Amino acid sequence: MDQLHIAGRAYGSRLIVGTGKYKDFDETRRAIEASGAEMVTVAIRRMNIGQDPGQPNLLEVLPPSRYTILPNTAGCYTAEDAVRTLRLARELLDGHALVKLEVLGDPSTLFPNMPETLKAAEVLVKEGFQVMVYCADDPIQAKMLEDIGCAAIMPLASLIGSGMGILNPWNLRLIIDNAQVPVIVDAGVGTASDAAIAMELGCDGVLMNTAIAHAGDPVLMASAMQKAVQAGREAYRAGRMPRKLYSADPSSPTTGLIGS
Amino acid sequence: MLDITLNGSRRSFTETSLTVAALLASLGYAGKRVAVERNGEIVPRSQHESTWLNSGDTLEIVVAVGGG
């Protein structure tokens, strides 16, 4: 069976989805079901004091008994804030250690701050967290994160929420070829073909949020993404034919033509 | 009176002392899935009943919300 193994657990789906930007919890639930994802990211935020405590909670819609919850550090700009957020997440999720680390460098690009990311990863790994880490598509720093002990390396394909697709497949290939841990493209996928390209490159999985949540029909796009990730993975495993730049090669027999 | 900073806002309680569990109950969050940090340290759920707040404490109470 072709499964994704992360931190000692096997997943049938190689698509990881975010839970932000949906119209409401019902749309969130339906899109995530249609995606077939088993792992979903959540953000950790201050409780809105004074809000009706009877309001449904995201973890009631997406129960941790059914989904592997991946708390993130979105919005953190320092290693310290990211570590603090994930300690709260671990408490919130009853000791659950698998987390998504992201330390941002700039609010307009949301590009990762790699020095702070490396610093946070070291602290978190020492504290027993299993760290899936959002990072730049830099093969050297990706390797540093692996050496620190991160459970998965998650380079961006293009800017978070941009939908610009796979902008530097060559760097992704370098990261994939060097890594002994799963490499998951995190950020930048815009449509199904982008997800398929990521998987054809040899990525172990794809993490996306906006491509589904901001599609015209999020539930239908979630279904498309499930298929694209599966198709891309199968194509990668099958091995594509060599590219022939300057010569055609007919698929039909060249002999036995009538009138010859 | 108990004066604390709760999720970035100053709050006053008429009680002179309050446990974390009692605070959560007074906010309507008893039994809800929340995590509490007091003065930068996690207060584990198992210690909510036995952790007393002091005036000047800074508390963060967080939940999971949608995110990518």
Side-chain angles (χ1 to χ4, degrees), chain A residues 187-240:
Chain A
V189 165
T191 187
S193 52
D194 296 334
I197 289 168
M199 296 307 295
E200 287 171 14
L201 285 170
C203 286
D204 295 281
V206 180
L207 195 165
M208 66 180 75
N209 190 150
T210 314
I212 296 175
H214 279 184
D217 181 340
V219 178
L220 189 56
M221 185 58 88
S223 165
M225 289 299 186
Q226 171 171 209
K227 292 169 185 142
V229 168
Q230 285 171 355
R233 177 67 184 175
E234 287 183 12
Y236 169 74
R237 292 178 64 209
R240 63 155 295 144

Side-chain angles (χ1 to χ4, degrees), chain A residues 18-20 41-50 53 57-59 72 84 87-88 91-94 100 102 209, chain B residues 6-8 11 27-29 32-37 40 42-45 48 60-68:
Chain A
T19 56
T41 65
V42 302
I44 304 298
R45 288 292 179 273
R46 282 175 166 166
M47 185 148 216
N48 190 1
I49 308 284
N57 169 307
L58 180 64
L59 295 179
N72 71 23
R84 221 176 129 197
R87 286 177 184 147
L88 277 162
E91 163 64 15
L92 185 70
L93 295 166
D94 308 314
K100 171 181 163 179
E102 59 181 294
N209 190 150
Chain B
L6 177 57
N7 286 0
R11 307 260 307 198
L27 296 170
Y29 304 147
K32 291 274 171 189
R33 193 185 272 275
V34 299
V36 181
E37 182 199 69
I42 300 293
V43 183
R45 203 163 297 143
H48 284 186
E60 297 286 349
I61 303 179
V62 301
V63 290
V65 302

Side-chain angles (χ1 to χ4, degrees), chain A residues 159-181:
Chain A
L159 302 184
I160 292 175
S162 72
M164 290 294 289
I166 315 292
L167 296 189
N168 196 338
W170 316 111
N171 274 26
L172 291 177
R173 273 299 295 271
L174 288 172
I175 293 171
I176 292 162
D177 290 349
N178 276 325
Q180 308 297 315
V181 295

Side-chain angles (χ1 to χ4, degrees), chain A residues 59-131:
Chain A
L59 295 179
E60 290 162 12
V61 179
L62 303 169
S65 54
R66 173 161 175 203
Y67 294 99
T68 296
I69 306 292
L70 195 60
N72 71 23
T73 60
C76 290
Y77 286 83
T78 64
E80 189 189 347
D81 282 349
V83 169
R84 221 176 129 197
T85 299
L86 291 177
R87 286 177 184 147
L88 277 162
R90 179 156 64 176
E91 163 64 15
L92 185 70
L93 295 166
D94 308 314
H96 170 90
L98 187 67
V99 296
K100 171 181 163 179
L101 171 64
E102 59 181 294
V103 186
L104 304 175
D106 163 12
S108 64
T109 63
L110 303 178
F111 219 77
N113 177 329
M114 291 305 296
E116 290 293 304
T117 300
L118 287 156
K119 206 191 301 178
E122 287 212 30
V123 174
L124 291 166
V125 168
K126 275 197 191 114
E127 292 188 11
F129 285 92
Q130 293 158 338
V131 182

Side-chain angles (χ1 to χ4, degrees), chain B:
Chain B
M1 284 283 277
L2 185 69
D3 291 306
I4 61 171
T5 303
L6 177 57
N7 286 0
S9 301
R10 297 285 295 274
R11 307 260 307 198
S12 293
F13 295 86
T14 49
E15 293 87 344
T16 49
S17 58
L18 209 55
T19 63
V20 169
L23 172 70
L24 290 176
S26 80
L27 296 170
Y29 304 147
K32 291 274 171 189
R33 193 185 272 275
V34 299
V36 181
E37 182 199 69
R38 177 202 186 201
N39 301 331
E41 302 288 331
I42 300 293
V43 183
R45 203 163 297 143
S46 60
Q47 292 171 24
H48 284 186
E49 296 277 356
S50 58
T51 302
W52 292 86
L53 300 176
N54 296 319
S55 271
D57 279 356
T58 297
L59 263 83
E60 297 286 349
I61 303 179
V62 301
V63 290
V65 302

